[in-house]
Amino acid sequence: MTDTEIIEYRIEHLRDRLAQEELAELGVRIELRGARVVIWGSVPDPECRSVLERLAGEELADVPWQIDLTVSHANPPDHCEELS
């Protein structure tokens, strides 16, 4: 197996963990860009982001990776929007 194939395998394992284990998070994208794994997308809260970072660290221990996640808040607005 080549290094790229090994990294792709580890990415798939991380995707499986995100879909089946603690998070059931399917809105996150994981791809290999050059020699670096990039994890991006949106998560519902900071705790989810922390779990995702931990799982990525476990699965991609010796692979360069970066994370670019947005925490989206599903709470209703706390004020009225003013329209002009």
Side-chain angles (χ1 to χ4, degrees):
M1 247 187 197
T2 67
D3 288 344
T4 301
E5 289 172 330
I6 292 169
I7 294 171
E8 288 289 347
Y9 173 81
R10 292 171 72 184
I11 289 171
E12 278 306 313
H13 195 259
L14 177 57
R15 285 181 183 137
D16 287 345
R17 286 187 71 182
L18 294 181
Q20 296 173 6
E21 287 187 17
E22 303 165 41
L23 296 179
E25 186 57 57
L26 300 173
V28 173
R29 304 288 183 246
I30 306 167
E31 23 182 83
L32 182 59
R33 294 185 185 164
R36 178 177 303 276
V37 176
V38 179
I39 302 166
W40 55 280
S42 180
V43 293
D45 54 53
E47 294 80 22
C48 184
R49 178 188 168 95
S50 294
V51 170
L52 199 145
E53 287 176 342
R54 180 180 56 79
L55 293 175
E58 291 171 7
E59 294 297 330
L60 305 171
D62 57 347
V63 176
W65 60 278
Q66 73 181 52
I67 198 160
D68 184 17
L69 293 173
T70 302
V71 176
S72 61
H73 299 281
N75 299 333
D78 59 356
H79 62 281
C80 294
E81 181 179 359
E82 292 187 31
L83 302 175
S84 54

